[in-house]
């Protein structure tokens, strides 16, 4: 039998040499930007983790129509919603097979027990799996699902019913998000009996297009196709993630055919990609917003005049032109322009340094002040070059007397610091998880989101909060849209953010790659192949 060490050596040998070995039709190499936090997306919050776990290994009850981002069937074939909006009954797909691994071979198909386990692990503190792998369920908690879900019932093997404490128009879309991936209850029970419950998270078993074969931290992940995938044959047998954090190295590997797909090329690389006949640059209109959050719990950012002044002080168009280079547009709202409820006639803060100085004087800061400006250590579609953006904001603020010291942290520390409110101002952003406006208006700016940590501005406005809460409890889309538009007016007036840009999502492939796609739900490898 080959040892694991020997297999790792074989994989590394196969990954970086002759391009011909990699270009075999049975193998596809994806240059990932980072190692995953976990192989259980319930425990994660980063895009690279979701690509490596939920988008390769698992499925959810619903997925999203790529045309309009509306929820469509996946592991659930249909659903009904009670007239009062508080009971959701899902009919589950029959004949869905779980993958197996070296520790466990499933004896049954996917059924309602798996849905119940996947929910209750996150919801119930007394569930034996709740604290496994440090048990931090950020998305589940950020969405308030612990209090929203009153009960989840198994009606029979193929019907599950959720009973809510109140109506929530975004609830259905929530079950297409990465955290809502369905795990195997049978596998979990077996590992609990063996005393190795953490294997559920480190050696996952899902219903997705691929199964995990091997993982070498900061180097590679190897997957093998699910031969019984319910959504059709997976055309590429072997999928390899070559973990490549550096954006320049990713492009070099693509050019050498050492990988066939790269995410998030830098805007400065677009020209070179377009000129290479062997490469193709792809883009999709992303549901995202990049912004600078003012920590409204700290002086002087508790003063709305200061926040308004620093909005007027920044030339947002210059930033978008210089940094996004055609990959984004100037943002003025927390809700992206293509989403329901976006207020087209919402005013924006034009670039007006003199007005900024006048407002600072009115606020008692005629001579300015000193502050810090947190800059993200990672590249995202909503912020392709955080350091450059920070430097341009720093320069603009200096013109009105505000001296900002740029600081940064490792990404995990950065996120933790935002949640704790350690920053004064910080660059941040958001990409939609479920296609619903609530995912921006409520998740990023509600009072409850301060407690959960997703409200980086630590801003709580009762009038705004009442509007987005009512919108979430309203089923009529037109009525919801009006409520979100009213909320955006308050957002503009109170200026908890300096909104920057709505970014597009870009990726590049070798020109002979077909079937791979990127959408609201992220990367879909299930139909990808080399021609």
């Amino acid at each position: 039998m080959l040892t694991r060490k020997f297999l790792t050596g074989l994989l590394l040998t196969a990954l970086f040499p002759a391009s011909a070995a990699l270009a075999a039709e049975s193998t596809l190499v994806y240059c990932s930007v980072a190692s995953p936090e976990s192989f259980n997306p319930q425990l994660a919050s980063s895009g690279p983790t979701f690509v490596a776990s939920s988008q390769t290994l698992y499925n959810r009850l619903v997925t999203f129509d790529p045309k309009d981002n509306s929820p469509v069937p996946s592991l659930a074939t249909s659903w009904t919603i009670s007239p009062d909006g508080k009971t959701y009954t899902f009919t589950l797909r029959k004949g869905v097979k779980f993958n197996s691994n070296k520790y466990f071979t499933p004896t049954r198909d996917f059924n309602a027990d798996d849905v119940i386990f996947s929910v209750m692990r996150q919801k119930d503190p007394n569930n034996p799996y709740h604290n496994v792998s440090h048990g931090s369920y950020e998305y589940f908690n950020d969405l308030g699902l612990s209090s929203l879900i009153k009960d989840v019932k198994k009606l029979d093997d193929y019907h599950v019913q959720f009973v809510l404490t109140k109506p929530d128009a975004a609830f259905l879309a929530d079950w297409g998000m990465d955290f809502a991936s369905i795990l195997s209850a049978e596998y979990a029970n077996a590992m609990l009996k063996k005393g190795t419950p953490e294997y559920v998270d480190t050696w996952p078993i899902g219903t997705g297009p691929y199964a995990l074969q091997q993982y070498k931290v900061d180097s590679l992940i190897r997957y093998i196709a699910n031969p019984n995938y319910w959504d059709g044959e997976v055309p590429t047998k072997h999928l390899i993630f070559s973990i490549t954090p550096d954006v320049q190295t990713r492009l070099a590997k693509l050019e050498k055919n050492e990988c066939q797909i790269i995410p998030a090329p830098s805007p400065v690389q677009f020209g070179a990609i377009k000129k290479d006949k062997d490469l193709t640059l792809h883009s999709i209109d992303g549901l995202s917003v990049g912004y600078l959050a003012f920590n409204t719990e700290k002086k002087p950012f508790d003063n709305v005049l200061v926040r308004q002044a620093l909005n007027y002080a920044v030339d947002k168009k210059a930033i978008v032109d210089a940094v996004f280079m055609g990959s984004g547009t100037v943002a003025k709202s927390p809700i992206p322009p293509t989403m329901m409820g976006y207020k087209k006639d919402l005013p924006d803060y034009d670039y007006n340094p003199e007005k900024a100085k006048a407002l600072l004087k009115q606020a008692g800061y005629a001579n300015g002040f000193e502050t810090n400006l947190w800059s993200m250590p990672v590249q995202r579609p909503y912020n392709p070059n955080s350091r450059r953006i920070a430097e341009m904001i720093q320069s603009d603020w200096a013109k009105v007397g505000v001296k900002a010291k740029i600081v940064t942290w490792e990404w995990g520390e950065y996120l933790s610091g935002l949640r704790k409110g350690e920053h004064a101002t910080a660059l941040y952003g958001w990409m939609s998880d479920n296609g619903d406006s609530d995912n921006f208006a409520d998740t990023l700016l509600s009072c409850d989101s301060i407690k959960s940590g997703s409200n980086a501005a630590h801003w709580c406005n009762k009038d705004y909060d009442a509007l987005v809460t009512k919108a979430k409890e309203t089923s009529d889309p037109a009525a919801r849209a009006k409520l979100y538009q009213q909320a955006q007016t308050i957002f503009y007036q109170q200026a908890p953010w300096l909104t920057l840009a709505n970014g597009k999502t870009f990726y590049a492939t070798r020109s002979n790659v077909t079937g791979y796609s990127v959408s609201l739900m992220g990367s879909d490898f299930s139909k990808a192949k080399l021609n």
Side-chain angles (χ1 to χ4, degrees):
M1 178 179 290
L2 295 175
T3 65
R4 184 177 178 186
K5 183 176 180 180
F6 182 65
L7 281 172
T8 300
L10 287 177
L11 286 178
L12 286 169
T13 301
L15 192 55
F16 299 107
S19 60
L22 292 176
E25 291 184 6
S26 63
T27 301
L28 186 67
V29 182
Y30 172 85
C31 275
S32 175
V33 303
S35 293
E37 304 163 80
S38 167
F39 284 105
N40 179 354
Q42 298 173 337
L43 302 167
S45 60
S46 73
T49 298
F50 294 147
V51 177
S53 60
S54 53
Q55 295 163 29
T56 49
L57 303 171
Y58 298 101
N59 300 115
R60 289 143 291 284
L61 291 178
V62 302
T63 187
F64 298 102
D65 186 321
K67 295 179 181 178
D68 63 6
N69 298 317
S70 61
V72 294
S74 183
L75 290 181
T77 57
S78 63
W79 48 84
T80 59
I81 306 172
S82 63
D84 66 359
K86 294 199 292 186
T87 302
Y88 287 69
T89 304
F90 291 90
T91 299
L92 306 182
R93 189 178 300 277
K94 296 180 180 179
V96 176
K97 309 291 183 185
F98 279 98
N99 282 299
S100 60
N101 63 23
K102 61 184 179 181
Y103 299 107
F104 184 74
T105 299
T107 65
R108 64 164 177 80
D109 292 349
F110 156 76
N111 68 25
D113 291 332
D114 305 306
V115 179
I116 301 293
F117 167 70
S118 300
V119 176
M120 296 309 292
R121 172 175 178 171
Q122 299 178 84
K123 174 177 168 58
D124 183 8
N126 296 315
N127 185 284
Y129 268 87
H130 187 74
N131 294 316
V132 171
S133 303
H134 305 294
S136 177
Y137 307 99
E138 289 185 13
Y139 270 83
F140 192 87
N141 294 327
D142 284 354
L143 293 169
L145 293 176
S146 289
S147 57
L148 178 63
I149 299 172
K150 181 179 181 181
D151 197 8
V152 54
K153 306 174 184 178
K154 175 182 177 180
L155 303 184
D156 58 43
D157 277 352
Y158 293 98
H159 291 89
V160 172
Q161 188 174 85
F162 289 81
V163 180
L164 309 185
T165 56
K166 58 184 179 181
D168 188 316
F171 183 76
L172 180 61
D174 289 343
W175 293 97
M177 292 170 63
D178 296 273
F179 82 90
S181 296
I182 303 301
L183 282 60
S184 167
E186 186 187 23
Y187 179 43
N189 290 336
M191 293 303 100
L192 195 63
K193 289 176 182 177
K194 286 186 177 182
T196 56
E198 68 279 2
Y199 283 6
V200 169
D201 306 323
T202 56
W203 284 101
I205 285 179
T207 61
Y210 284 93
L212 179 68
Q213 270 194 313
Q214 188 174 28
Y215 174 43
K216 184 174 178 62
V217 178
D218 295 333
S219 177
L220 64 88
I221 311 170
R222 184 171 186 171
Y223 306 87
I224 191 165
N226 177 355
N228 302 303
Y229 189 44
W230 62 270
D231 197 27
E233 181 183 357
V234 180
T236 302
K237 184 175 182 180
H238 299 288
L239 175 65
I240 295 173
F241 277 31
S242 173
I243 299 168
T244 313
D246 182 72
V247 66
Q248 299 295 343
T249 305
R250 286 200 298 275
L251 179 57
K253 287 185 177 182
L254 185 71
E255 291 170 335
K256 295 174 184 176
N257 201 22
E258 291 178 2
C259 59
Q260 289 80 52
I261 304 171
I262 62 168
S266 169
V268 299
Q269 297 174 329
F270 292 172
I273 295 171
K274 291 176 181 178
K275 289 178 182 177
D276 191 326
K277 63 180 179 59
D278 294 322
L279 307 182
T280 303
L281 181 68
H282 309 262
S283 70
I284 62 169
D285 290 328
L287 299 178
S288 70
V289 61
Y291 58 90
L292 179 135
F294 301 109
N295 188 339
T296 61
E297 292 179 343
K298 289 186 174 181
K299 291 185 178 297
F301 304 108
D302 58 341
N303 188 326
V304 66
L305 297 177
V306 171
R307 302 195 299 266
Q308 291 174 344
L310 294 189
N311 266 274
Y312 281 117
V314 173
D315 189 345
K316 297 198 298 187
K317 186 179 184 303
I319 289 175
V320 172
D321 289 345
V323 178
F324 286 81
M325 301 172 65
S327 67
T329 56
V330 173
K332 61 180 180 179
S333 165
I335 298 175
T338 57
M339 296 190 79
M340 177 267 295
Y342 175 75
K343 186 172 174 61
K344 293 181 180 179
D345 60 352
L346 185 72
D348 196 7
Y349 291 90
D350 59 321
Y351 178 49
N352 192 331
E354 292 307 313
K355 193 165 187 177
K357 290 177 183 178
L359 285 169
L360 286 172
K361 182 178 181 180
Q362 187 180 344
Y365 295 96
N367 297 319
F369 56 87
E370 295 183 2
T371 187
N372 63 51
L373 197 171
W374 284 25
S375 173
M376 296 163 50
V378 295
Q379 174 190 346
R380 292 289 185 268
Y382 54 73
N383 190 329
N385 189 333
S386 184
R387 181 74 190 189
R388 180 66 179 131
I389 290 177
E391 289 170 348
M392 293 183 76
I393 292 173
Q394 179 189 51
S395 176
D396 282 346
W397 283 356
K399 295 171 186 174
V400 298
V402 175
K403 298 178 181 179
K405 178 183 178 182
I406 298 172
V407 295
T408 193
W409 312 94
E410 182 273 328
W411 187 226
E413 292 182 72
Y414 195 94
L415 296 174
S416 176
L418 288 183
R419 288 179 175 274
K420 294 174 184 176
E422 294 173 353
H423 59 293
T425 72
L427 289 167
Y428 200 35
W430 193 255
M431 297 180 67
S432 177
D433 298 298
N434 64 10
D436 194 280
S437 301
D438 172 77
N439 193 227
F440 289 85
D442 180 84
T443 301
L444 303 182
L445 290 162
S446 71
C447 297
D448 283 344
S449 294
I450 299 174
K451 304 170 193 171
S452 65
S454 57
N455 183 341
H458 290 248
W459 177 68
C460 177
N461 181 283
K462 297 299 183 183
D463 293 332
Y464 176 94
D465 223 47
L467 288 166
V468 297
T469 298
K470 187 176 180 181
K472 187 159 55 172
E473 296 176 357
T474 301
S475 59
D476 177 60
R480 289 187 76 200
K482 290 181 180 178
L483 292 165
Y484 286 129
Q485 289 164 2
Q486 293 173 42
Q488 285 165 83
T489 297
I490 296 174
F491 169 87
Y492 163 74
Q493 293 166 346
Q494 291 294 310
W497 296 354
L498 164 61
T499 54
L500 291 169
N502 302 116
K504 291 184 177 181
T505 296
F506 287 84
Y507 62 99
T509 66
R510 299 289 299 181
S511 297
N512 62 338
V513 173
T514 61
Y516 173 75
S517 63
V518 175
S519 66
L520 173 63
M521 262 314 297
S523 296
D524 183 0
F525 297 93
S526 66
K527 309 300 180 189
K529 63 179 180 178
L530 294 172
N531 295 317

